[in-house]
Amino acid sequence: MSLWQIFTTNQDRTIHKWTHYFPAYERHFVQFRNTSFTLLEIGCGKGGSLQMWKKYFGPLVNIVGIDNRPECADLTEAQISVRIGDQSDPAFLRRVVDECGIPDLVIDDGSHIMSHVKASFDFLYPLMGPRSVYLVEDLHTAYWSEYEGGLKRPGSFIEFCKDMIDQLNAVHTRGALEDNDFSRSTVSMHFYDSLAVFEKGVYGKKHAPQIGRKA
């Protein structure tokens, strides 16, 4: 069953997701289906998305939800654990990772406050291994002042992403930017309406083959 079918036929806990996200989910998440991996979802909502991921990814996935609302602890069930804390607190995130493992897939549907989104990314993304995916939802809030956003406002996650496009290509800047862990480990960045997706990889993306070169 596709993720869209699971969503549209849901009879369990309420799921709050924009419908135009689903093609992006399918594109970037299909590699994880029926494999053993750890998913971390920031922001538990009413618990419906945690159950949706469980149905979609299958019996081998370990799902961890984090939220600052104590009542979300009641969303725990088989394959789903919930930890209560602040997504912008590195000490809390370290405890979650130490207990539950480094995530292979992160979905940030948390507070949507720009400094919180950035703090979670700064802590979690460098820890993630090859073939992992980090997805940030609801980035329309990057344009709204009540979420520390605004068009071209410094500090918004959208402005951060614009800078990271340059960093992705750091090796080609002739020394203007230093090649670092982000540029060496990130294979691609994808942008959709209100979504940003970062994909890590292992192949030698920085070294183009010398096709047709004479000896």
Side-chain angles (χ1 to χ4, degrees):
M1 185 179 292
S2 71
L3 193 53
W4 177 250
Q5 289 173 312
I6 294 170
F7 175 67
T8 55
T9 60
N10 175 57
Q11 298 294 318
D12 294 318
R13 296 190 180 109
T14 301
I15 305 171
H16 291 292
K17 297 291 184 184
W18 290 96
T19 58
H20 69 273
Y21 287 0
F22 282 80
Y25 289 154
E26 296 276 7
R27 177 178 181 181
H28 297 286
F29 294 175
V30 66
Q31 63 177 307
F32 295 107
R33 293 198 80 175
N34 299 310
T35 67
S36 177
F37 77 101
T38 297
L39 184 164
L40 175 64
E41 182 164 40
I42 302 171
C44 295
K46 296 181 180 293
S49 62
L50 296 171
Q51 293 180 322
M52 178 176 70
W53 305 131
K54 176 180 171 180
K55 293 174 184 176
Y56 178 70
F57 288 116
L60 302 179
V61 63
N62 170 39
I63 300 172
V64 182
I66 64 174
D67 204 291
N68 63 359
R69 297 171 297 151
E71 61 268 26
C72 289
D74 295 336
L75 302 176
T76 297
E77 61 180 64
Q79 293 181 245
I80 298 173
S81 58
V82 176
R83 298 294 179 267
I84 305 303
D86 181 352
Q87 75 169 97
S88 67
D89 180 1
F92 166 66
L93 295 176
R94 168 53 66 186
R95 291 194 297 271
V96 172
V97 168
D98 288 346
E99 181 182 358
C100 303
I102 296 173
D104 304 285
L105 171 59
V106 173
I107 303 168
D108 186 345
D109 189 19
S111 73
H112 309 312
I113 295 172
M114 295 298 101
S115 59
H116 295 183
V117 175
K118 179 68 162 47
S120 299
F121 184 89
D122 285 348
F123 181 83
L124 293 168
Y125 190 75
L127 299 178
M128 298 170 72
R131 302 184 181 88
S132 58
V133 175
Y134 197 109
L135 183 145
V136 183
E137 296 187 356
D138 295 343
L139 279 175
H140 49 275
T141 57
Y143 301 97
W144 296 352
S145 60
E146 60 267 38
Y147 292 92
E148 302 175 354
L151 181 62
K152 301 188 183 299
R153 179 175 176 175
S156 83
F157 198 75
I158 288 292
E159 292 304 306
F160 167 74
C161 288
K162 293 176 184 178
D163 289 339
M164 299 316 284
I165 292 172
D166 289 330
Q167 191 61 57
L168 182 68
N169 293 284
V171 73
H172 307 298
T173 64
R174 296 180 173 176
L177 291 174
E178 181 180 353
D179 193 24
N180 61 19
D181 181 67
F182 179 89
S183 56
R184 287 190 293 268
S185 66
T186 304
V187 172
S188 63
M189 299 167 62
H190 303 257
F191 298 94
Y192 307 85
D193 180 345
S194 304
L195 286 179
V197 185
F198 300 79
E199 294 187 322
K200 285 193 166 184
V202 295
Y203 62 84
K205 65 186 179 68
K206 303 300 185 184
H207 304 285
Q210 299 295 315
I211 298 174
R213 182 177 180 180
K214 294 183 179 179

